[in-house]
Amino acid sequence: MTGYIVRRLLQAIPVLLGTTFLIYFMVFAMPGDPIVALFGDKTPPPQVIEALREKYHLDQPFIVQYFLFLGGIFRGDFGTSFSGEPVSEILARTFPVTLQLAVIAVFFEMVAGITVGLVSGLRKGGIFDASALVVSLILISLPIFVIAFVCQWLFGIQLGWFRATVGAGAPLQDLILPAIVLATISFAQIVRLTRASVIDTDGQDFVRTAASKGLSRSRIVPVHILRNSLIPVVTYLAVDFGVLMVGATVTEGIFNVPGVGNTLYQAIIRGEGPTVVSFVTVMVLIYLVVNLLVDLLYAVLDPRIRYAK
C-alpha cells in the first residue's frame, strides 16, 4: 500500500505541472493587456501601466511568468489580485464557505441518494422503484438554475423556511437550501447508479451462496450487497465533490453565497488573472487529493482489491 501511495504521488506531479501550465497559458498568454483592461474606458498614464506590469511580472516572457507563479505556489504564495489584496486572503475568506456548502451537499446526496437507490434496487419493479426513477429523471432534466429559482421562491419567499439569500457572514444553517439545490442533480444520479449496482450485486453468486448458508436478509443486504455496490457510487461522489467545489458558480450566484464559485466568476468578469489561476490551481490540488483518498478507500470497501507491486 505504501508503494502505491508513493507511485500515485509521483504521478500527481506531472498532472499538476501540466494543468497549471495550461491554466496559466489560457489566462495570461491570450491576446490583450489585462492591465489596460483593468482601467476600463479610462486611459492611465504609461508610467502607471509599466509599474503594474512590472509588479505582476507581465513584462517578463511567458515561461518566466509561469515559473515565477509556480515557485510562489510551492512557497504558499498565491500572488496578489489586481485590486491589491493577496489571493491567499481571498481564498481564506471564500474557501471555507464553499467547503461547507459542498460537504452539506455531498452529505445530503450520499445519505438520501444511497438510501433511495438501495430501496429502489431491492424492490425492483415496485411502486417505490417507479416513483424514484421518475423523480430522478425529472431532476436530471431540469437545469440547476431552474431548480434554484423554484426552491428560492417556494422555500425562501413563500414558506419562509430558509433565507432567500445568504450573504457574507451568514450562519451555517443558511447554506442548507443552496446545498440541497446543489445536490439535487447528483442525488438523482446517485439514486440511479446505486439502484443499478444493487440489482447487479443482488444477482451475484456470492449473494446466493450467503443466502443458502442461512444468513438473514438483514445481514446480507448491508454486508454483501450494499458494501459491494458502493464502489461505483464512491467514485462518483469523489469526482462530484470536486465538481461541487468548482461548479457551484450558478448556485452561489443565485443565493448570493460568498464562496469560491461566485468569487471566481466575478474574477473572470473583471479579468483578475492571478485570482483565476490560483483558484483553479487549488481546485486541481483538491481533485488530486480526493482521487487518491478514494482509490485507497476501494481496498476498504472491496477486500478483493489489492495494490500489489
Side-chain angles (χ1 to χ4, degrees):
M1 183 69 73
T2 303
Y4 175 77
I5 296 175
V6 172
R7 288 197 302 271
R8 284 300 306 270
L9 291 175
L10 292 176
Q11 292 171 0
I13 295 176
V15 174
L16 178 62
L17 293 176
T19 52
T20 54
F21 180 82
L22 289 175
I23 294 165
Y24 201 90
F25 175 80
M26 288 186 292
V27 173
F28 285 104
M30 295 293 102
D33 191 335
I35 298 299
V36 175
L38 185 65
F39 291 90
D41 296 333
K42 299 180 181 179
T43 305
Q47 297 85 350
V48 175
I49 293 179
E50 290 302 321
L52 289 174
R53 288 180 59 83
E54 182 178 355
K55 177 181 178 181
Y56 294 102
H57 307 294
L58 298 178
D59 57 336
Q60 302 288 337
F62 168 76
I63 194 66
V64 176
Q65 297 179 39
Y66 170 70
F67 280 113
L68 288 173
F69 161 76
L70 201 61
I73 293 296
F74 287 125
R75 296 193 307 269
D77 180 13
F78 293 94
T80 306
S81 67
F82 290 155
S83 61
E85 184 178 8
V87 177
S88 58
E89 293 184 5
I90 302 176
L91 275 169
R93 184 174 64 250
T94 59
F95 185 82
V97 178
T98 299
L99 181 61
Q100 292 175 352
L101 186 67
V103 169
I104 296 173
V106 169
F107 177 80
F108 170 78
E109 65 189 44
M110 179 178 64
V111 174
I114 292 176
T115 301
V116 174
L118 175 64
V119 176
S120 181
L122 295 176
R123 300 181 179 180
K124 178 185 176 182
I127 297 177
F128 185 90
D129 181 33
S131 302
L133 290 176
V134 170
V135 172
S136 63
L137 182 61
I138 293 174
L139 292 177
I140 293 174
S141 303
L142 289 175
I144 188 67
F145 66 87
V146 173
I147 299 175
F149 280 126
V150 170
C151 291
Q152 187 182 49
W153 174 81
L154 179 60
F155 300 109
I157 299 176
Q158 295 297 319
L159 298 178
W161 292 355
F162 304 94
R163 289 180 58 185
T165 57
V166 178
L172 182 63
Q173 57 266 26
D174 287 348
L175 295 176
I176 295 178
L177 182 59
I180 292 176
V181 170
L182 194 61
T184 50
I185 296 179
S186 297
F187 160 78
Q189 296 284 7
I190 289 176
V191 168
R192 300 172 72 89
L193 186 61
T194 305
R195 174 186 180 273
S197 185
V198 166
I199 292 174
D200 179 69
T201 305
D202 197 16
Q204 297 295 322
D205 291 337
F206 66 87
V207 175
R208 288 193 290 266
T209 301
S212 66
K213 290 182 177 180
L215 293 179
S216 63
R217 192 66 173 171
S218 60
R219 173 71 176 174
I220 293 175
V221 171
V223 176
H224 297 281
I225 296 179
L226 180 60
R227 182 176 179 179
N228 289 279
S229 300
L230 285 180
I231 294 178
V233 178
V234 168
T235 303
Y236 180 86
L237 283 171
V239 177
D240 189 56
F241 181 77
V243 172
L244 293 178
M245 290 294 298
V246 182
T249 304
V250 175
T251 304
E252 288 187 356
I254 293 175
F255 288 94
N256 193 32
V257 179
V260 171
N262 200 4
T263 304
L264 183 59
Y265 173 75
Q266 297 298 329
I268 294 173
I269 295 298
R270 295 193 302 266
E272 290 273 358
T275 305
V276 174
V277 172
S278 297
F279 269 50
V280 178
T281 300
V282 172
M283 297 303 107
V284 171
L285 289 172
I286 292 175
Y287 260 109
L288 294 175
V289 172
V290 169
N291 285 331
L292 174 61
L293 293 178
V294 169
D295 285 347
L296 298 179
L297 187 59
Y298 284 164
V300 177
L301 294 175
D302 191 347
R304 295 171 298 177
I305 298 177
R306 291 293 182 268
Y307 299 112
K309 295 183 179 179

